[in-house]
Amino acid sequence: MTLKQKILLGYGLSFAFMGLVVTLAVVNLVSLGRATEAILSENYRSILAAENMVDTIERQDSAILLMLLGQGEGAELFRSNEAAFLEWLAKARDNVTISGEGELLQGIERDYEAYRRAFKALAAALPASGAPDASGYMHDVSPLFTRVRDACVRLRLLNEEAMYGASLRAGEVARGAIWSTSLTAAASLGVALVFSMVLADRIVRPIRRFMEASRHISDGDYAVQVPVGGSDELSRLAGEFNRMATQVGRYHAMNIEQIIAEKDKGEAVLASIEDSLVIFDTQLRVTGLNPAARRLFGLPAEPDAVGCADVVPDARVCDLIRETVRAGSPPSLPDEERILNLKGEGRTAHYLFSVTGIGSGRNLSGAVLLLRDITRLKQAEQLKNDFIMAASHELRTPLTSLGMSVALLLEHASGSLAEKDRELLLAAHEEVGRMKSLVSDLLDLSRIEAGRIEMEFEPVTVGTLFSHVQAVFRSQADMKDVSLRREMDGDGPSVRADANKIAWVLSNLVSNALRYVGRGGHIALRAHDDGAWVRLAVADDGPGIPQGDQARIFQKFVQVGDGESEGSGLGLAICKEIVRAHGGTIWVESEPGRGSTFIFTLPKVFRES
């Protein structure tokens, strides 16, 4: 017999016992329902009719008394209750179910008819005026009233006694149903329980053998075998399990050395990496790190219960790791925001960090933090910036002298020079001016990057900044027939900024827009309240910026266009550093052929209410 047949047999027997109990319960319920229905149909309706006949005839008697007292509405009250009495009497006759009930109803009908005739005689004998004589009522009417009412009461008592007897019989039926159903259910439950225990033991015994064999295999004993007996599914499973254990043992014997070699190779690769590498689980606990990371953070080879905040002092990095584990991929950050500064041993080390999820999609098992030491690059960059600042500062004096000399020559000796020499002198004067502008931009950029330019932060409204820029470029916009407007009502929100530096940023952005927007174009100054920040934007409908150039236009000496544009290529780089000095960010949104929008953020000043 197969395992499926054994289970079906067990369930079938249980269902058979359940069906027997249910059938017996239904039969008993039907019997009890019939007994209850008999009580209602045979007795309750007759009791109700008797009660109403008693009430009706008592109201008729009250109506006769009202007539004797000289109340004219007594006759009408008698007749209305007469109809009700006859209606209830007819219902009682239709529900005769008890021995003696029919004879009692005939007597009620006969006496009530006599009662009606006595009432008519009494009503006819009443005088038109004066006090009526009550002797006729006491002699003829009242005895008939008493006889009919007592007969109705006897009818009610007769049915009540019958109902009580039926109730006793229904109780006996109910008790019998309870006992028979309980005994049958108990017997069925006992048989089913015994059979289930036997069947469960037959099924569970091989499973216990499988569990014991699995424990041996997990301990490395691949020679274990499960006894095979019978022809059911578990027996066939035991055979397959034994073959699997044999194959796993062979595979383990063949590949254990290879696995160990690959593990040693992986550990050697990690140990040879000079960059620090830390592995976190989904709870941001450290689960592994290479020797460079151990030396950097001073941790043992196998750290115990060490969290991200215990290792990395910068909360931004832990937030980035947490977001990577949550979203399935790291958020995009520019390189300048992926710098981690660690102080120790009298110096500050700089590391470029990156986070990579372990796994795919949203089913990540952790994340890897890679720290690349860029301290030497930072030092080299600082040396470069210092050199540029020093060289630019040293170049200002000779360039100023050279510019003054060329200007004096143009002023005093241009008349005696040939036209070609004069053109060369003018070109030299223009190039000297461009070099002075480039040197000045380099100095400004170096000072901002080094933090040597002091910012005078104060509350200023966005409307004031926009008005200043409009006033500066109004004539240039009119010359090119360009519309320069601000899309904002009133002065707008206030920002905490150095007004002169932010005005320079806006001026540079508007100047670039004027350079690329054609005649009849539009330049818009916009401001948007964004919680704790205010977004300022300069939008134009020029040719736009290609997607590949948008990521690098804020770098030094980068110019986008046909290559003939004037300028040093430092304007947007200076704008970026000024905005960063204010704690904000700057970016561009552009699509070729649909214009460009340069956007930057400044901290908002909240007005006190």
Side-chain angles (χ1 to χ4, degrees), residues 316-381:
R316 294 182 305 116
V317 180
C318 295
D319 293 339
L320 181 62
I321 298 173
R322 185 179 294 104
E323 178 64 20
T324 300
V325 173
R326 186 192 65 82
S329 60
S332 178
L333 290 177
D335 287 346
E336 59 267 17
E337 295 185 17
R338 295 194 296 115
I339 304 298
L340 177 63
N341 301 319
L342 298 178
K343 296 182 179 180
E345 300 181 359
R347 70 185 187 93
T348 300
H350 307 278
Y351 294 88
L352 179 67
F353 67 86
S354 61
V355 179
T356 305
I358 302 175
S360 60
R362 292 183 175 270
N363 299 321
L364 297 185
S365 59
V368 177
L369 173 64
L370 179 66
L371 299 171
R372 182 175 302 165
D373 191 350
I374 57 171
T375 304
R376 293 184 180 178
L377 294 177
K378 278 287 186 180
Q379 293 172 349
E381 184 179 1

Side-chain angles (χ1 to χ4, degrees), residues 381-398:
E381 184 179 1
Q382 184 62 41
L383 290 174
K384 180 196 68 175
N385 292 336
D386 292 343
F387 171 76
I388 291 175
M389 181 179 293
S392 301
H393 188 271
E394 294 298 327
L395 284 173
R396 292 185 69 176
T397 301

Side-chain angles (χ1 to χ4, degrees), residues 26-42:
V26 170
V27 170
N28 290 329
L29 287 175
V30 170
S31 300
L32 185 60
R34 288 176 179 174
T36 304
E37 184 179 1
I39 293 174
L40 293 176
S41 63
E42 295 178 1

Side-chain angles (χ1 to χ4, degrees), residues 406-464:
V406 174
L408 289 173
L409 284 174
L410 284 172
E411 182 178 357
H412 298 290
S414 60
S416 60
L417 295 175
E419 183 65 23
K420 186 175 182 180
D421 295 336
R422 188 170 178 277
E423 290 178 357
L424 290 174
L425 199 59
L426 285 172
H429 187 265
E430 292 179 358
E431 293 300 322
V432 168
R434 290 184 62 183
M435 289 189 66
K436 287 175 64 178
S437 176
L438 175 62
V439 169
S440 179
D441 289 344
L442 282 172
L443 277 174
D444 290 340
L445 181 60
S446 299
R447 287 170 181 163
I448 294 173
E449 289 179 338
R452 298 179 183 176
I453 289 185
E454 295 184 359
M455 297 287 180
E456 298 179 0
F457 295 106
E458 59 181 357
V460 58
T461 61
V462 176
T464 302

Side-chain angles (χ1 to χ4, degrees), residues 387-585:
F387 171 76
I388 291 175
M389 181 179 293
S392 301
H393 188 271
E394 294 298 327
L395 284 173
R396 292 185 69 176
T397 301
L399 284 175
T400 301
S401 300
L402 184 61
M404 292 177 61
S405 300
V406 174
L408 289 173
L409 284 174
L410 284 172
E411 182 178 357
H412 298 290
S414 60
S416 60
L417 295 175
E419 183 65 23
K420 186 175 182 180
D421 295 336
R422 188 170 178 277
E423 290 178 357
L424 290 174
L425 199 59
L426 285 172
H429 187 265
E430 292 179 358
E431 293 300 322
V432 168
R434 290 184 62 183
M435 289 189 66
K436 287 175 64 178
S437 176
L438 175 62
V439 169
S440 179
D441 289 344
L442 282 172
L443 277 174
D444 290 340
L445 181 60
S446 299
R447 287 170 181 163
I448 294 173
E449 289 179 338
R452 298 179 183 176
I453 289 185
E454 295 184 359
M455 297 287 180
E456 298 179 0
F457 295 106
E458 59 181 357
V460 58
T461 61
V462 176
T464 302
L465 298 172
F466 286 174
S467 298
H468 174 75
V469 174
Q470 284 181 300
V472 171
F473 289 95
R474 182 174 290 111
S475 59
Q476 297 182 40
D478 293 341
M479 290 176 59
K480 289 195 66 175
D481 192 21
V482 172
S483 170
L484 176 60
R485 68 186 187 279
R486 65 178 186 178
E487 298 178 354
M488 184 184 65
D489 296 331
D491 289 335
S494 297
V495 294
R496 180 179 177 274
D498 185 324
N500 292 328
K501 300 298 187 298
I502 297 302
W504 189 94
V505 172
L506 289 170
S507 299
N508 188 276
L509 296 178
V510 172
S511 175
N512 288 342
L514 282 171
R515 188 180 305 161
Y516 290 102
V517 172
R519 298 188 65 84
H522 300 82
I523 300 175
L525 304 175
R526 301 169 181 166
H528 174 66
D529 194 335
D530 190 13
W533 299 87
V534 176
R535 291 188 180 188
L536 284 73
V538 177
D540 63 67
D541 56 359
I545 302 173
Q547 188 69 31
D549 294 332
Q550 294 180 20
R552 62 187 188 90
I553 57 174
F554 293 100
Q555 299 176 7
K556 302 172 187 176
F557 306 109
V558 173
Q559 291 181 318
V560 178
D562 53 10
E564 300 178 358
S565 174
E566 298 180 357
S568 61
L570 294 173
L572 290 179
I574 296 175
C575 289
K576 178 181 177 180
E577 295 301 327
I578 291 176
V579 172
R580 286 183 61 188
H582 283 73
T585 55

Side-chain angles (χ1 to χ4, degrees), residues 266-277:
E267 292 179 352
V269 170
L270 289 178
S272 65
I273 296 176
E274 296 182 357
D275 298 329
S276 300
L277 190 146

Side-chain angles (χ1 to χ4, degrees), residues 114-136:
Y115 178 70
R116 292 171 63 193
R117 290 194 299 270
F119 166 73
K120 291 179 181 179
L122 179 63
L126 288 176
S129 62
D133 185 9
S135 59

